[in-house]
Amino acid sequence: MTPLALIATLALAAGTPAGKPDPATVDAIKATCFDYIDGQLEANPDRVARALHPDLAKRAVIGDTPYERFGLRRMSKEELVDLTKQGALKTPKEKWDRTCTILDITGTAASVRLETPWFVDYFHMGQFGDKWLIVNALWYSKPKGK
């Protein structure tokens, strides 16, 4: 077996596609990303909730505080769904400006970048049966007016 054939065989055995991921997988991952953001923009908590793993870890770096070194802003699935119910990001559809970019897919794991005018989120997603869910999110709030 040639070294290239061996690498391809090992990649397939590990669940990593040797080429492009199948279109259905890409579509499912993007649908989860858009459920997350579009649900917030339309104030639809059910849509946001279906994109999130029950044990979501959503965080933003805030740096050192008087109470914490390497401080993080932490948010759970319940907190994000509640903010959505309150309409925290509700925005008229004509002002929606968002992109979901898949950075990597390996087996049942994916890394995705979401960008809006207000923030950037980096997601770790996991595949659970035929569903992709956001398990981890690290977000960055853009400075206002930029």
Side-chain angles (χ1 to χ4, degrees), residues 3-88:
L4 185 57
L6 179 61
I7 290 170
T9 302
L10 290 173
L12 286 172
T16 304
K20 245 173 117 174
D22 72 277
T25 298
V26 170
D27 289 348
I29 291 169
K30 285 190 174 186
T32 298
C33 184
F34 285 118
D35 278 342
Y36 172 91
I37 186 57
D38 293 355
Q40 290 180 70
L41 295 175
E42 63 192 17
N44 181 338
D46 293 332
R47 190 168 180 192
V48 173
R50 76 176 178 221
L52 305 175
H53 187 276
D55 196 27
L56 172 75
K58 181 171 169 62
R59 297 184 171 108
V61 174
I62 58 173
D64 292 346
T65 71
Y67 309 101
E68 183 177 26
R69 179 126 169 93
F70 307 118
L72 295 171
R73 163 75 170 96
R74 294 165 177 87
M75 190 180 303
S76 67
K77 175 182 180 176
E78 292 77 18
E79 289 171 302
L80 182 57
V81 169
D82 190 51
L83 284 171
T84 302
K85 282 180 191 171
Q86 297 171 29

Side-chain angles (χ1 to χ4, degrees), residues 50-127:
R50 76 176 178 221
L52 305 175
H53 187 276
D55 196 27
L56 172 75
K58 181 171 169 62
R59 297 184 171 108
V61 174
I62 58 173
D64 292 346
T65 71
Y67 309 101
E68 183 177 26
R69 179 126 169 93
F70 307 118
L72 295 171
R73 163 75 170 96
R74 294 165 177 87
M75 190 180 303
S76 67
K77 175 182 180 176
E78 292 77 18
E79 289 171 302
L80 182 57
V81 169
D82 190 51
L83 284 171
T84 302
K85 282 180 191 171
Q86 297 171 29
L89 281 182
K90 189 167 185 177
T91 304
K93 194 162 192 168
E94 64 274 5
K95 294 186 178 182
W96 291 10
D97 180 15
R98 76 279 189 267
T99 58
C100 290
T101 305
I102 298 173
L103 305 173
D104 186 46
I105 304 169
T106 303
T108 59
S111 182
V112 178
R113 182 181 193 272
L114 164 67
E115 183 165 3
T116 74
W118 313 283
F119 56 84
V120 175
D121 270 297
Y122 291 96
F123 300 140
H124 289 139
M125 291 189 190
Q127 184 181 22

